[in-house]
Amino acid sequence: MHLIRPHQLLSCAVLGLSLLLSGCGFQLRGLATDMVNLQELRIESRDQYSELHQGVKQALVDNGVSITASAPFRLQLLAEERDRVAVSYTSRSAPAEYELTNRLVFQVSDSQGRALVGPETLTARRVFVTDRDNITGSNQEEELLRQELRQDLIRQMLFRLSSLSESELSARAQALEQQATPATP
């Protein structure tokens, strides 16, 4: 009788596990964003040197979108809000956990500034435990979580932008133009 060798058993187990994971819809984090279908955009924000503005710009360029000042459509980053709220306390009434929240308000407009999409608000949240004995470590953890929140907002915006096409935005702009022009008898 022929026995299965250990390396063959391991190969079968790895193959079975990979089939199981692919069958249940498992995806690595960050790969769920569809491609943005827009050819070119103009990005506007209050601070074009902010980490959010630069992150959005880089993500769009990575998705094949040309960032130009003469683009027919504008992505306007209207506001970024950051909150930090204590959600639990120690026996000494000191905060033990904080909830960090980042919000991004954006809209897509035509070259004349008329809103075609939005304004929409995206939200990302994380909770972290603070350590009063390691303030530096807690501050570094908070900063890392803020970076994750920013990346999460960018992914959410790319996901939203992936559902738009230039023809759809052009149709919305034409509809706004028709509404603005009075009908002549």
Side-chain angles (χ1 to χ4, degrees):
M1 183 170 188
H2 182 58
L3 297 175
I4 297 178
R5 295 187 179 139
H7 71 280
Q8 290 175 332
L9 187 60
L10 180 62
S11 297
C12 289
V14 169
L15 179 62
L17 184 62
S18 63
L19 287 172
L20 180 68
L21 286 176
S22 66
C24 73
F26 175 79
Q27 248 179 326
L28 291 174
R29 184 175 176 183
L31 299 177
T33 304
D34 294 330
M35 291 297 292
V36 177
N37 298 320
L38 304 173
Q39 297 298 316
E40 62 179 335
L41 270 177
R42 176 179 177 175
I43 303 176
E44 296 178 350
S45 68
R46 291 183 182 158
D47 181 8
Q48 65 182 358
Y49 299 106
S50 72
E51 291 179 22
L52 180 68
H53 181 98
Q54 294 300 318
V56 167
K57 183 177 180 180
Q58 186 60 49
L60 287 170
V61 167
D62 291 347
N63 273 274
V65 179
S66 176
I67 308 299
T68 63
S70 61
F73 305 108
R74 300 177 185 175
L75 173 60
Q76 297 173 304
L77 307 178
L78 302 174
E80 180 186 13
E81 300 171 6
R82 297 169 48 155
D83 290 330
R84 178 181 173 202
V85 178
V87 292
S88 70
Y89 294 89
T90 65
S91 60
R92 295 183 206 144
S93 298
E97 292 180 322
Y98 287 100
E99 179 182 61
L100 303 176
T101 305
N102 279 23
R103 286 181 202 83
L104 171 62
V105 180
F106 77 97
Q107 74 180 15
V108 178
S109 61
D110 63 6
S111 59
Q112 297 171 351
R114 296 178 297 198
L116 302 175
V117 174
E120 292 186 16
T121 303
L122 305 174
T123 304
R125 289 187 173 92
R126 299 281 191 283
V127 174
F128 82 99
V129 177
T130 185
D131 183 1
R132 292 182 50 121
D133 296 328
N134 186 3
I135 295 173
T136 302
S138 291
N139 290 341
Q140 289 174 346
E141 181 179 1
E142 182 176 354
E143 185 54 37
L144 285 172
L145 288 174
R146 288 286 181 195
Q147 290 173 7
E148 278 186 27
L149 291 170
R150 195 175 308 111
Q151 290 302 317
D152 192 20
L153 290 176
I154 292 170
R155 276 192 295 273
Q156 288 181 44
M157 185 183 341
L158 289 178
F159 186 73
R160 177 63 179 108
L161 292 176
S162 70
S163 67
L164 301 173
S165 66
E166 290 190 5
S167 59
E168 179 183 350
L169 292 175
S170 295
R172 290 181 186 192
Q174 287 177 349
L176 286 175
E177 189 70 35
Q178 290 174 353
Q179 290 176 356
T181 339
T184 55

